[in-house]
Amino acid sequence: MSITTDIVWLQDNLRIADNPLLHFDSPPEQLLCLYVLDQRWFESSIMGDASPRLGPARLRFLWQSLMELRGELLQRGSDLLVRIGDPASIVLDTAVMLGAREVRVAAHSGYEESQHIARVADQLPLACQLCCADSGYLIAEDELPFALNELPPSFSAFRRRVEKHCTFLAPLPAPVTLPPWPESAPRGFPPLKVVCKESAGWQPDKRQGFVFVGGEAAASDRFQQYLWRQNGAESYKTTRNGLLGANFSTRFSPWLARGCLSARQVCQEVKTWEAIHGSCESSYWIIFELMWRDYFHRAAQLEGAALFGHEELPPANSAFDAWRNATTGVPFIDAAMLELKVTGWISNRARQNVASFLVKDLNVDWRLGASWFEHCLIDYDAASNWGNWRYIAGIGRDPRQDRYFNVLKQAGHYDPNGLYVAYWLPELASLPLGMERHQPWRVAPSKFDAPCVEPAEWQRWLVATTELQETDE
């Protein structure tokens, strides 16, 4: 009688706890846990550009997450195999080599990832089954109060129906033990310096407000710090648009993106906090953001390849280069783009502004911006990234065209003293506190060049603001 062997094919669910792939109705006698790094992620998506889709910061965080996951699996009697190449081909070859009974994988909202899963499902040997589980969401697909193809056209409609009809379930516990590793199977993975020397040597800028480390343990540490020691759930809604420091935001997004943390784990922790401190608008708003995340992922499942636009991506141009290289001459934009480039993360408020500026003020194809974010962001996931860019661009679901951010007005509201821009652009520190730091070309034209663009909306806002100040006086 042959030994039963299952394969757990991990993608963006790099955790032990709340992982349905590690819970079995009928456990196999042997288990192989596999992660395949898609070789195409080392290629560029922008014509004539050398920047890979998977940038050094994102790869570093991923490798940290894989290293920690391997340690957790080893403690439970299992291990991890990491390969680089074509995911579907490697999974199929591994299943044939082991004579696997089952390949277990989580459904994915990314188009490429779902295509890999479809290929495996279509080409597995007849004796091997594919088990595709729903994992990582706040609300599982079969718990939604509508069929996926009836997803409401707006987030507001989605949220109302979810809140009325759905219960947020508790996360699954971590398994205590797992079936042993197949004796004949390879295990482990290469050191990061062999995969990408740039990523192995990459370190975030020391000015970064918070140091991200991949893996479940770091995610748990952040829970303890933000929710329990900082009482962040008490103030999140009022601080979430901040720009400087470690605790204006939850900072959970990188661990959610790599699946070191699930939405249900976050929700349960917030509910536990509420049971002690009482619910409030800010604690609700953390769960509100998790519902937004669910909505983007469900929308991406429906959009498929259309999420990325139908036309071929255009080549980079001078306006795009100025934007991504933080040389637009607009401090609020350049500070954010420099922070992104040297840390792999920027705040939600900064993301909205730089995206609007690229699309609405520089008239650059939104997909170039989304591709650059894919390269840079340690919390990149296809659904949230491309969905948010489409949202700013005013296309896709809920296609309104009025999502314009006047970046001077935004800077005056969210960085009134110019502390953020001077933090990342020290040359501005010599200017007075206030709007002077956001318009250095007006205050010190001999020292600062005019920006690459001065939209008419800026002048109208400045005139209106001046008139209001004169009226008040």
Side-chain angles (χ1 to χ4, degrees), residues 293-460:
R293 179 178 179 273
D294 266 25
Y295 184 69
F296 273 129
H297 280 266
R298 297 307 181 190
Q301 286 179 285
L302 289 178
E303 293 287 348
L307 180 70
F308 310 98
H310 294 289
E311 302 83 11
E312 184 176 335
L313 199 66
N317 57 27
S318 59
F320 172 68
D321 285 339
W323 176 81
R324 66 170 163 174
N325 292 324
T327 58
T328 68
V330 182
F332 200 49
I333 300 302
D334 291 345
M337 294 308 295
L338 177 61
E339 181 184 10
L340 172 63
K341 190 172 185 178
V342 300
T343 72
W345 191 90
I346 50 174
S347 69
N348 179 62
R349 179 56 48 181
R351 295 182 199 204
Q352 291 177 313
N353 274 276
V354 299
S356 174
F357 183 77
L358 181 73
V359 175
K360 303 295 178 67
D361 292 328
L362 295 183
N363 297 312
V364 171
D365 191 310
W366 65 272
R367 296 171 302 159
L368 286 175
S371 296
W372 184 246
F373 270 29
E374 179 178 356
H375 168 80
C376 291
L377 284 172
I378 60 173
D379 63 1
Y380 169 83
D381 72 62
S384 298
N385 182 67
W386 291 81
N388 270 302
W389 272 93
R390 285 162 60 92
Y391 187 79
I392 291 292
I395 61 174
R397 307 182 74 84
D398 192 18
R400 293 178 295 167
Q401 299 295 325
D402 59 351
R403 296 187 183 96
Y404 176 77
F405 287 74
N406 181 327
V407 298
L408 274 192
K409 181 179 179 181
Q410 290 273 309
H413 186 74
Y414 294 104
D415 187 29
N417 291 319
L419 298 179
Y420 173 70
V421 293
Y423 186 77
W424 288 103
L425 306 170
E427 62 272 21
L428 297 172
S430 62
L431 300 178
L433 295 174
M435 285 304 294
E436 288 86 351
R437 292 183 174 185
H438 294 292
Q439 305 170 85
W441 65 92
R442 298 181 190 275
V443 181
S446 62
K447 185 177 179 182
F448 297 95
D449 293 333
C452 61
V453 63
E454 292 189 69
E457 287 82 355
W458 294 4
Q459 188 61 35
R460 285 195 288 268

Side-chain angles (χ1 to χ4, degrees), residues 36 38 51 56 60 65 134 186 192 222 264 276 295 307 425:
V36 184
D38 194 333
S51 303
R60 178 176 179 265
S65 302
D134 197 277
L192 182 54
R222 181 55 182 169
R264 285 181 179 173
I276 297 171
Y295 184 69
L307 180 70
L425 306 170

Side-chain angles (χ1 to χ4, degrees), residues 41 97 134 181 194 207 349 425:
W41 292 353
M97 177 188 72
D134 197 277
W181 194 262
V194 173
R207 290 172 290 177
R349 179 56 48 181
L425 306 170

Side-chain angles (χ1 to χ4, degrees), residues 271 273-275 277-284:
K271 293 296 183 184
W273 183 91
E274 289 180 334
H277 300 279
S279 61
C280 61
E281 190 176 24
S282 284
S283 61
Y284 164 77

